[in-house]
Amino acid sequence: MNFLLILPVAIPVVLSLMWHWLRLEGKKLRIATLITVACSATLAAACALLPGTGQISLRWTDMLTFSMRVDGISRIFLLLVAVVWPCVALYATEYLEHGPKPERFYLFYTITQGILHALAMSGNLVTFYMFYEAMTLLTVPLVLHNMDREAVAAAIKYLIYSVIGASAALIGIFFVGSVGSSGDFAAGALTAEQLTGREGLAMAVFMTMLTGFGVKAGMFPLHGWLPTAHPVAPAPASAVLSGVITKMGVLGAVRVVFCIAGVERLRGSWVQKALLALTLMTILMGSLMAFKEKKLKKRLAYSSVSQVSYVLFGLYTMTPLGFVGAMLHVIFHSLMKNTLFMGAGSIIHKTGKTMVPELEGLGRRMPWTYAFFTVASLGLVGIPPTGGFVSKWNLAQGAMAMDSAVRWIGPTALLISAILTAAYLFTIVIRGCFPGEEYKPEPSCEAGWRMLVPMGILSALIVLAGVFSGGLINYLEMLAAQLM
């Protein structure tokens, strides 16, 4: 049944290239084709989640092997892409219909879906790195789409930061190969015998790799591409960059910590302490910058800098509860941030307003957009019964389970960040829905159904995932027990 691992990658890539080669004309045909490709790829990914899908292993040399398989971690990220990608695709058909060359955006967008599936199913470091770099190259055109000076500058900055991060990860791959390891993803793949006499060097390499993957996740000090890229990228690109692409940096960190280095080797080391310090610094810094920022999409970009480091913080506690909270926040943050960026895109698309102080009364003109934006905001703050409450509760519990000062510093930082998150998001909601007595009613400018339906689906999932999170938590607890 190995073909089930090939289909999630081959379907979007092959169909997208065929579509581009045939140069299909007509708006309705383009829309139908895009949705068909995205949904077909999602269906293929769902089939890959079935038990017994096997493994693909192609040996190039003694040290280089192409490997793909589905494990417990793969399932989380495959599910994430499968849910989000078709929703944002539908949204993009309305957002981009009057913009320049939407078919170019659709081509890179759908091929990226296949590469993300491959990245999630990668079975070793070499395969992961190959698709990680491909993901970067394919998402640069999404940032570059508008082709103006700001977009070009942002795309170059995104590419430079990404190459720096990937190069740091590549150093680790060379090291892992040099000690005789295949780099296969198994719990603590490097043995004590392989690292004898190289323990100090190994720790430095692990720190380098995790910092490198932290670039894509927006971890301080190499977070600068996020607030630069988001304001100039189209809203569909911003949504998936924040909601999904940043999570691939998280996936790299998960693989290094739990499948290569091993938790027992890192727990209590200077590497863990340094990473915890960086993530907590990023959480607070991102929240403060978002609170100060007046440009709508840039505010959400700084929010992503903060929120994705919630995930990294949970991982680096190296406790079962921290891991559960981190993986929950991978899923819930993606749902929430995709909704927020699509809401912001709808506002900009329909009104042309990009600054928070300009949004007075828009909630009355765009009631459905603001309703979905509000649900996502409640989730990001962590208010029950949304999924954000469930993930942040487990993150705090994971920090409290540690034996160091982080057990108090961590939850305190999370609480301060939550207060700042409420301030910078609810300001938007309150301005829009309660403009004051001096507000003069204006005509409705609500987004079309192709924008509203994806936001509605993700908003419903934000609440339903919070209310019915028991099964997912049980699965993650079982996965944490296997990895630790």
Side-chain angles (χ1 to χ4, degrees):
M1 296 180 70
N2 291 356
F3 70 95
L4 291 179
L5 300 180
I6 300 173
L7 292 179
V9 183
I11 285 177
V13 173
V14 173
L15 292 183
S16 299
L17 292 174
M18 286 179 59
W19 171 25
H20 185 70
W21 178 65
L22 293 173
R23 297 187 180 278
L24 301 178
E25 299 294 337
K27 184 179 75 173
K28 291 184 178 179
L29 183 58
R30 281 203 308 264
I31 293 172
T33 305
L34 173 65
I35 301 304
T36 300
V37 172
C39 291
S40 298
T42 290
L43 181 61
C47 292
L49 293 172
L50 297 172
T53 51
Q55 178 176 347
I56 296 173
S57 184
L58 302 175
R59 194 175 188 85
W60 295 326
T61 69
D62 290 340
M63 298 305 300
L64 293 177
T65 302
F66 178 87
S67 175
M68 289 179 63
R69 66 174 184 271
V70 176
D71 60 11
I73 296 171
S74 299
R75 288 186 170 88
I76 299 168
F77 290 87
L78 274 176
L79 178 65
L80 178 65
V81 178
V83 171
V84 168
W85 224 255
C87 289
V88 179
L90 178 59
Y91 176 93
T93 62
E94 182 174 342
Y95 185 92
L96 297 171
E97 64 181 347
H98 300 302
K101 297 189 176 182
E103 63 279 359
R104 181 183 62 202
F105 183 94
Y106 300 158
L107 172 67
F108 287 104
Y109 181 84
T110 47
I111 293 177
T112 300
Q113 184 180 10
I115 297 303
L116 291 174
H117 290 159
L119 192 57
M121 295 186 293
S122 296
N124 62 21
L125 277 174
V126 171
T127 309
F128 186 91
Y129 179 80
M130 180 175 68
F131 289 117
Y132 193 79
E133 288 284 57
M135 173 191 68
T136 294
L137 296 176
L138 287 166
T139 50
V140 167
L142 302 184
V143 177
L144 189 62
H145 180 73
N146 291 329
M147 296 299 291
D148 55 26
R149 181 174 295 181
E150 286 186 338
V152 172
I156 291 173
K157 187 173 185 178
Y158 169 58
L159 181 60
I160 291 172
Y161 273 64
S162 296
V163 169
I164 291 171
S167 298
L170 184 60
I171 291 172
I173 297 173
F174 289 150
F175 174 79
V176 170
S178 71
V179 299
S181 173
S182 64
D184 287 342
F185 293 143
L190 289 176
T191 65
E193 291 75 15
Q194 289 171 327
L195 298 182
T196 300
R198 303 179 181 180
E199 293 85 356
L201 177 60
M203 286 297 178
V205 168
F206 296 147
M207 183 68 193
T208 301
M209 293 182 75
L210 292 168
T211 303
F213 285 124
V215 173
K216 194 72 78 181
M219 187 178 73
F220 178 86
L222 295 173
H223 63 284
W225 69 269
L226 265 167
T228 302
H230 281 305
V232 301
S238 296
V240 295
L241 279 170
S242 178
V244 180
I245 301 303
T246 56
K247 305 306 186 302
M248 297 304 132
V250 171
L251 176 57
V254 171
R255 293 303 194 185
V256 172
V257 171
F258 297 98
C259 302
I260 299 297
V263 172
E264 293 301 323
R265 185 174 287 117
L266 294 178
R267 188 182 286 139
S269 69
W270 68 267
V271 173
Q272 183 190 27
K273 294 172 184 176
L275 291 168
L276 287 171
L278 286 174
T279 55
L280 289 174
M281 191 182 306
T282 309
I283 288 169
L284 293 174
M285 180 271 297
S287 296
L288 284 168
M289 295 300 293
F291 178 72
K292 292 172 56 180
E293 181 58 51
K294 300 301 181 184
K295 186 174 287 188
L296 177 57
K297 285 182 70 180
K298 198 168 185 177
R299 176 176 289 194
L300 296 180
Y302 276 120
S303 171
S304 293
V305 170
S306 173
Q307 294 288 325
V308 178
S309 275
Y310 276 61
V311 178
L312 294 177
F313 171 74
L315 293 178
Y316 298 149
T317 64
M318 300 182 193
T319 61
L321 282 172
F323 176 85
V324 171
M327 291 299 99
L328 287 172
H329 208 59
V330 163
I331 297 169
F332 298 152
H333 175 262
S334 182
L335 299 176
M336 295 180 289
K337 195 48 68 73
N338 273 282
T339 304
L340 289 172
F341 268 112
M342 287 193 287
S346 297
I347 292 169
I348 296 168
H349 182 70
K350 290 297 181 179
T351 69
K353 297 179 179 180
T354 61
M355 307 298 289
V356 172
E358 299 174 340
L359 306 182
E360 298 282 354
L362 274 182
R364 301 187 181 187
R365 301 177 63 194
M366 308 179 72
W368 284 109
T369 295
Y370 262 75
F372 300 141
F373 192 97
T374 301
V375 171
S377 298
L378 291 169
L380 207 63
V381 175
I383 295 176
T386 63
F389 169 75
V390 179
S391 60
K392 291 187 177 185
W393 177 266
N394 280 276
L395 286 170
Q397 291 294 308
M400 293 291 289
M402 297 185 69
D403 294 328
S404 65
V406 177
R407 66 181 304 175
W408 304 112
I409 297 173
T412 301
L414 297 182
L415 180 59
I416 294 171
S417 176
I419 294 170
L420 290 169
T421 303
Y424 66 69
L425 287 178
F426 291 161
T427 301
I428 299 170
V429 174
I430 292 170
R431 282 181 182 273
C433 298
F434 305 100
E437 295 180 358
E438 297 181 359
Y439 171 73
K440 296 179 181 180
E442 297 181 63
S444 172
C445 58
E446 185 60 273
W449 70 269
R450 281 178 284 154
M451 285 182 168
L452 292 176
V453 168
M455 287 190 284
I457 291 172
L458 296 185
S459 296
L461 289 174
I462 291 168
V463 177
L464 292 173
V467 175
F468 303 103
S469 58
L472 181 57
I473 291 174
N474 290 338
Y475 171 77
L476 293 173
E477 288 175 343
M478 177 187 69
L479 184 57
Q482 294 173 358
L483 294 173
M484 299 185 203

